[in-house]
Amino acid sequence: MPIRRHAERGRTCRADLDAVLDDGLVATLATVLDGQPWVVPMLYARDGDRIVVHGSTGAGALRHVAGGVPLALCVTHLDAIVVAYNTFNSSANYRSAVVTGIPERLDGADKERALHLLSDRIIPGRTAEVVPTTAKEYAATLALALPITADNWTVKVRTGGPGAPDQPSDAWTGVVPLHTAYGPALPEPGTTAELPASVAGLLARSQA
């Protein structure tokens, strides 16, 4: 999938793709259903050479792509706002990845492993702290894996400042970094248990 607009921002190293995917939790999944575009944000996890997503077996569009329909999965990180001398040249620093293909429906032990991996990707260590998923809950959950191949992805990255203005200006220019952080944790009313190690780990990430 060639990048035509600002091709110099394209990345071709697989490590760059993994870095963008591993830094995120939410992806936008897009496909076509009954001749109409369909887009939905989904939690995801990279599992080696595939991306795992899940949802309810009652989700008709998700069942649609599970039947062998192509999709596109996009992950974007907004790292900073780039403030130029005018709005036309103002921009943003970002990292984005798009992976396309036909997802595979997961079943049995592979499905259970993928769902555990996804849960622990979102809250590391959480699956060991809670009651096991039941057979009924597994049956109500659809798990899909989108393969990552050598030619089904693109990565685009912008870094740096706004550059010098092409006409005289006294306007302030520069970069305003953007950060995402966890916490503080808010217990559900009636909860008496101590803060678990998994949640404490999320808070520690923001303090690092």
Side-chain angles (χ1 to χ4, degrees):
M1 298 183 291
I3 294 176
R4 295 181 173 83
R5 176 67 175 164
H6 286 296
E8 75 281 0
R9 298 178 186 172
R11 301 289 188 271
T12 58
C13 178
R14 171 60 192 272
D16 291 323
L17 171 67
D18 291 350
V20 172
L21 295 177
D22 293 348
D23 278 351
L25 293 174
V26 179
T28 300
L29 188 154
T31 188
V32 175
L33 176 61
D34 297 329
Q36 298 296 320
W38 178 75
V39 181
V40 64
M42 304 193 75
L43 296 170
Y44 75 93
R46 183 178 68 87
D47 180 20
D49 290 330
R50 63 184 189 176
I51 302 170
V52 176
V53 297
H54 80 305
S56 169
T57 54
L62 202 60
R63 294 200 311 270
H64 175 68
V65 297
V69 175
L71 61 80
L73 197 78
C74 178
V75 175
T76 303
H77 305 288
L78 183 60
D79 295 323
I81 301 299
V82 179
V83 185
Y85 76 99
N86 65 1
T87 56
F88 180 82
N89 289 287
S90 295
S91 186
N93 286 341
Y94 62 88
R95 293 163 291 142
S96 66
V98 177
V99 183
T100 62
I102 298 176
E104 304 169 350
R105 183 167 183 160
L106 304 181
D107 293 298
D110 192 23
K111 174 182 177 178
E112 293 184 16
R113 175 188 169 278
L115 292 175
H116 287 177
L117 181 145
L118 180 56
S119 294
D120 279 341
R121 172 70 183 87
I122 299 166
I123 311 177
R126 187 57 176 163
T127 56
E129 298 173 341
V130 296
V131 297
T133 303
T134 66
K136 182 178 180 180
E137 290 168 339
Y138 279 126
T141 305
L142 179 62
L144 303 177
L146 178 63
I148 301 173
T149 63
D151 59 355
N152 75 331
W153 57 270
T154 58
V155 171
K156 197 172 182 181
V157 177
R158 188 200 190 280
T159 60
D166 54 15
Q167 57 183 285
S169 173
D170 293 328
W172 185 93
T173 62
V175 174
V176 182
L178 179 65
H179 303 284
T180 300
Y182 290 101
L186 305 175
E188 183 70 9
T191 297
T192 59
E194 295 184 358
L195 190 72
S198 61
V199 177
L202 292 181
L203 303 182
R205 290 186 183 185
S206 295
Q207 299 168 359

